């Protein structure tokens, strides 16, 4: 690989041997990049590997998605890759991006941009640029403003991205105020990169995020949601979450998180609810088996959001938050709806928040087998996540108390396993189906069948499985009591 050079001597950045090898390895395993570069050069255009692809190569995180920029306009790009790409898509055409696939790699080729915002609109106004330098200057952060030209492998870094990558710092190519004024979502993206890469934001960036937090209101809920999801699924979401709260960004789209800082947990008065929540998120991550479990992480983050609204101080001075799980579930559903999360995702997170306190009290010996069945039935396919969330919620520093809670939950899981071995707890249903109910009562489909089905399910939960004769006798008893039969 040839030595890097930028348009000006002052902009030149020397690659370490390891970094040179990383970029060389990317290009070695991706001959497609050089092939594509030669096609653009033959057509009289430039092509540069750019942005996250270069950053990730330098970090040794090679992927199958490659980003390029070029002076060619979309129509010209299409002409160059026609007959070479195995698949082409134009969904990003309005933003100057043409997508393609070749040898299992996904390629995005974007025309140089001098993108700008009108300070009111929620979407960018795309203006094509004329040079690589102009394109790199408009990028969000210096670590994403580096390029490798193709096919000659020149490395361009006019804004010190390589230095910032080595220092693990997030900084903007232009002033933070200018960059965030163009696209306020970049403030949230800074927190996301801090979470994903375990980097720190530069003090100037932190200050601008704080002073300009209200500008995030210009961004659509969907764009905020997508960035926040990536943040929460980062390698270190706690760093990102702290940034959101400390800069005031969380207040713009998830004020419930900021509100937790004002409350004290009655179970662990050595820390406030906010710190407790961050610990629960960390604990939940430790229970993940592979990859990010967003539903579990989001439930851990929001499990106590009902506490501020339910706070009460007793005559003995103790703080309580009675029924905060009920209020928290309602707040969770409203917040995730406002952030435009899919209904099924929202329903699962909300259910976990509603159920997260159900376990407490089990250790006092009050649970019957019926209570265990209801716990399993109410959790449904969320039971494995509920196990993890409940265990994560134990953050007490009292070793004796922590050991007792863990032992109690071990006992509950053992009890669930024992009952499950005797009954089909995964599918707790009435002992008679709808057809049997209609035949026995002589009724057509309708509300009566639904009521009878619900009653038999309650009996199933309360007493366990009934044989056919007992189930029919119970149905007839209920029907007589309801005045449906004599």
């Amino acid at each position: 690989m040839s030595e890097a050079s930028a348009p000006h001597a002052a902009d030149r950045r020397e690659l370490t041997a390891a970094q040179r090898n990383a970029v060389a390895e990317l290009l070695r395993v991706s001959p497609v990049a050089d092939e594509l570069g030669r096609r653009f050069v033959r057509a009289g255009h430039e092509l540069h590997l750019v942005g996250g692809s270069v950053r990730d190569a330098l970090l040794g995180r090679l992927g199958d998605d490659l980003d390029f920029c070029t002076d060619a306009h979309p129509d010209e790009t299409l002409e160059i890759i026609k007959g070479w790409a195995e698949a082409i898509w134009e969904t990003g055409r309005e933003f100057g991006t043409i997508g393609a696939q070749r040898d299992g790699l996904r390629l995005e080729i974007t025309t140089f941009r001098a993108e700008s915002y009108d300070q009111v609109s929620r979407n960018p106004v795309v203006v094509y640029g004329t040079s690589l330098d102009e394109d790199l200057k408009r990028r969000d952060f210096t670590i994403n403003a580096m390029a490798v030209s193709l096919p000659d492998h020149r490395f361009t870094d006019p804004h010190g991205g390589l230095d910032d990558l080595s220092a693990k710092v997030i900084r903007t190519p232009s002033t933070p105020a200018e960059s965030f004024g163009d696209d306020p979502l970049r403030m949230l993206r800074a927190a996301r990169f801090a979470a994903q890469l375990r980097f720190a934001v530069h003090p100037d960036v932190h200050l601008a995020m704080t002073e300009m937090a209200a500008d995030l209101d210009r961004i659509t809920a969907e764009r905020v949601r997508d960035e926040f999801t990536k943040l929460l699924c980062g390698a270190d979401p706690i760093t990102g979450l702290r940034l959101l709260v400390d800069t005031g960004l969380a207040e713009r789209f998830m004020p419930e998180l900021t509100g937790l800082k004002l409350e004290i947990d009655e179970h662990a008065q050595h820390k406030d609810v906010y710190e407790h929540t961050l610990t629960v998120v960390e604990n939940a991550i430790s229970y993940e088996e592979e990859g990010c479990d967003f539903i579990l992480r989001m439930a851990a983050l929001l499990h106590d959001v009902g506490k501020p609204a339910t706070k009460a101080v007793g005559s003995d001075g103790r703080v309580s938050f009675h029924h905060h799980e009920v209020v928290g579930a309602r707040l969770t559903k409203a917040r995730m709806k406002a952030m435009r999360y899919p209904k099924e995702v929202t329903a699962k997170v909300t259910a976990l928040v509603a159920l997260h306190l159900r376990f407490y009290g089990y250790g006092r010996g009050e649970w019957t087998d019926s209570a265990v069945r209801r716990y399993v039935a109410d959790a449904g396919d969320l039971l494995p996540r509920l196990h993890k969330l409940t265990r994560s919620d134990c953050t007490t520093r009292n070793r004796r108390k922590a050991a007792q809670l863990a032992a109690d939950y071990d006992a509950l899981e053992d009890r669930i396993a024992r009952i499950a071995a005797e009954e089909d707890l995964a599918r707790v249903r009435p002992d008679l189906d709808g057809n049997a109910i209609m035949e026995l009562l002589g009724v057509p489909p309708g509300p009566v069948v639904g009521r009878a089905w619900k009653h038999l399910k309650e009996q199933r939960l309360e007493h366990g499985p009934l044989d056919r004769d007992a189930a029919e006798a119970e149905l007839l008893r209920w029907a007589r009591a309801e005045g449906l039969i004599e």
Side-chain angles (χ1 to χ4, degrees):
M1 177 176 169
S2 59
E3 192 168 290
S5 64
H8 304 290
D11 292 331
R12 182 168 296 187
R13 295 292 182 269
E14 295 296 332
L15 294 175
T16 66
Q19 290 163 338
R20 181 179 289 106
N21 289 339
V23 176
E25 176 67 6
L26 176 91
L27 296 173
R28 183 187 68 78
V29 300
S30 304
V32 168
D34 281 346
E35 285 181 29
L36 189 60
R38 285 190 288 270
R39 293 182 72 90
F40 272 80
V41 169
R42 284 198 298 268
H45 293 289
E46 303 173 27
L47 185 72
H48 311 274
L49 188 68
V50 73
S53 295
V54 176
R55 180 199 70 226
D56 288 346
L58 293 170
L59 290 172
R61 300 160 41 142
L62 305 184
D64 295 331
D65 296 332
L66 300 179
D67 295 324
F68 301 88
C69 66
T70 178
D71 60 339
H73 285 200
D75 286 341
E76 294 169 316
T77 293
L78 284 170
E79 194 63 31
I80 292 171
I81 66 175
K82 189 183 302 181
W84 175 83
E86 296 162 354
I88 295 174
W89 54 92
E90 302 181 45
T91 51
R93 186 189 182 101
E94 63 178 310
F95 299 108
T97 300
I98 299 297
Q101 181 170 317
R102 173 84 178 190
D103 292 349
L105 296 172
R106 289 174 57 88
L107 320 172
E108 288 201 345
I109 308 162
T110 303
T111 305
F112 290 153
R113 293 202 303 221
E115 194 173 85
S116 64
Y117 286 68
D118 61 12
Q119 308 298 318
V120 176
S121 169
R122 294 181 171 196
N123 292 307
V125 177
V126 177
V127 178
Y128 292 146
T130 58
S131 70
L132 176 61
D133 276 0
E134 186 179 18
D135 183 272
L136 294 179
K137 183 177 181 180
R138 57 150 287 278
R139 292 183 177 267
D140 51 7
F141 306 111
T142 59
I143 58 174
N144 296 329
M146 298 176 284
V148 174
S149 300
L150 300 167
D152 60 354
H153 301 177
R154 283 180 302 107
F155 180 78
T156 303
D157 177 26
H159 303 289
L162 187 57
D163 292 340
D164 290 339
L165 199 66
S166 297
K168 297 186 176 182
V169 65
I170 296 170
R171 196 167 52 84
T172 55
S174 55
T175 66
E178 181 181 355
S179 180
F180 298 155
D182 281 346
D183 185 358
L185 188 67
R186 288 173 174 172
M187 295 185 287
L188 188 52
R189 196 173 294 143
R192 187 250 288 185
F193 278 120
Q196 286 184 329
L197 303 176
R198 300 181 187 273
F199 280 21
V201 298
H202 190 278
D204 291 345
V205 172
H206 192 287
L207 178 61
M209 290 167 68
T210 304
E211 293 179 342
M212 302 176 67
D215 286 8
L216 191 64
D217 296 349
R218 291 198 276 121
I219 304 302
T220 62
E222 290 82 1
R223 293 182 73 207
V224 170
R225 174 201 65 206
D226 291 347
E227 283 297 328
F228 178 76
T229 300
K230 292 175 184 176
L231 183 157
L232 193 59
C233 280
D236 180 20
I238 306 306
T239 292
L241 292 169
R242 287 191 186 282
L243 263 174
L244 295 181
V245 172
D246 293 346
T247 59
L249 284 167
E251 189 68 28
R252 313 314 305 184
F253 67 95
M254 192 179 283
E256 296 84 0
L257 183 58
T258 303
L260 294 178
K261 295 196 74 170
L262 306 178
E263 306 304 331
I264 300 297
D265 190 334
E266 81 279 19
H267 295 301
Q269 295 192 21
H270 59 276
K271 64 182 72 170
D272 59 27
V273 178
Y274 171 69
E275 291 296 333
H276 163 75
T277 294
L278 296 184
T279 301
V280 174
V281 173
E282 284 186 315
N283 290 345
I285 293 171
S286 72
Y287 284 110
E288 291 176 342
E289 296 168 9
E290 56 179 69
C292 170
D293 185 342
F294 172 77
I295 290 171
L296 177 62
R297 292 192 187 193
M298 192 67 160
L301 181 66
L302 298 177
H303 79 284
D304 273 350
V305 294
K307 283 190 170 180
T310 57
K311 180 179 179 179
V313 181
S315 58
D316 59 356
R318 287 183 61 82
V319 176
S320 64
F321 304 98
H322 295 306
H323 306 301
H324 75 266
E325 75 281 12
V326 178
V327 175
R330 186 175 70 244
L331 293 173
T332 294
K333 182 177 181 180
R335 178 53 53 202
M336 293 188 70
K337 180 179 179 181
M339 294 179 70
R340 304 291 193 270
Y341 278 103
K343 289 182 179 179
E344 61 273 18
V345 173
T346 298
K348 290 179 179 180
V349 175
T350 300
L352 286 171
V353 172
L355 290 169
H356 85 275
L357 275 189
R358 182 77 70 85
F359 159 74
Y360 291 94
Y362 176 80
R364 296 195 295 268
E366 299 171 356
W367 282 33
T368 61
D369 283 356
S370 170
V372 175
R373 291 189 197 97
R374 291 179 188 278
Y375 187 75
V376 173
D378 290 346
D381 61 4
L382 291 173
L383 185 62
R385 286 190 175 106
L386 182 57
H387 288 332
K388 295 173 183 177
L389 178 60
T390 302
R391 290 184 182 277
S392 299
D393 197 23
C394 176
T395 63
T396 178
R397 293 180 180 176
N398 184 317
R399 292 186 178 181
R400 182 191 60 78
K401 184 176 181 181
Q404 185 60 56
L405 285 170
D408 287 346
Y409 209 83
D410 287 343
L412 174 58
E413 290 201 59
D414 289 344
R415 193 171 174 189
I416 290 172
R418 175 181 61 77
I419 298 175
E422 301 169 358
E423 310 170 21
D424 187 8
L425 285 186
R427 298 179 59 193
V428 175
R429 300 177 64 82
D431 298 285
L432 300 176
D433 62 17
N435 290 328
I437 291 171
M438 288 187 288
E439 181 180 349
L440 195 60
L441 298 185
V443 297
V448 170
V449 179
R451 286 164 50 204
W453 192 92
K454 183 176 180 180
H455 172 75
L456 289 176
K457 181 177 180 180
E458 287 296 314
Q459 294 301 306
R460 172 75 166 76
L461 289 170
E462 187 66 29
H463 303 293
L466 301 176
D467 61 31
R468 181 77 181 198
D469 290 343
E472 290 183 353
E474 176 57 34
L475 176 61
L476 293 174
R477 187 202 63 76
W478 172 82
R480 289 190 189 96
E482 293 289 312
L484 299 174
I485 60 176
E486 295 182 359

